[in-house]
Amino acid sequence: KKQIKRNPGLIITKLKDAEYVGRFASGVIDVVMGKANKFTFFHENGHRLKDMIYATGNKDLIGIWKQAETLFKNDAFYIDKTTG
C-alpha cells in the first residue's frame, strides 16, 4: 500500500496462479502471490519507469537509461560468474 501511494496512477493486481512471478503489461503490474518476493514489485516498477522514459522521447534521458542497463547487465554477469 505504501508503494501504491508513492506511485500515482499505478495499478497492481495480485494473482493466485500464473506461470510468471510478476510482470508489467499495459500499465498494470501483476504480482503472483506465493511466487513473488519483496523485490518483485520494484523489478516490475523498473519496467514501468523504462516505458515512461521512452515515452518522453528525451534522447538524453533514454541514453542515460541505456547506459544504466548496460552497467547493470555487466554487474549481473559478473555476479553470476563469481557466485555461480
Side-chain angles (χ1 to χ4, degrees):
K1 291 184 179 201
K2 188 179 194 180
Q3 294 306 322
I4 293 172
K5 289 180 184 177
R6 291 182 178 175
N7 292 274
L10 176 64
I11 299 170
I12 299 175
T13 56
K14 295 178 184 177
L15 306 175
K16 291 182 181 180
D17 190 35
E19 293 182 12
Y20 49 86
V21 174
R23 75 174 179 185
F24 174 72
S26 302
V28 178
I29 293 177
D30 294 331
V31 177
V32 181
M33 305 311 289
K35 289 185 177 181
N37 63 30
K38 62 183 178 180
F39 303 109
T40 303
F41 166 80
F42 297 101
H43 174 89
E44 299 307 328
N45 205 32
H47 293 296
R48 178 174 168 251
L49 177 60
K50 180 179 180 177
D51 283 0
M52 291 188 309
I53 287 171
Y54 276 79
T56 69
N58 181 318
K59 292 179 182 181
D60 291 333
L61 191 55
I62 292 169
I64 291 168
W65 182 266
K66 287 181 177 180
Q67 183 180 12
E69 278 187 323
T70 300
L71 289 171
F72 179 77
K73 287 177 185 174
N74 290 339
D75 286 349
F77 178 78
Y78 175 75
I79 289 169
D80 283 347
K81 289 292 184 189
T82 59
T83 62

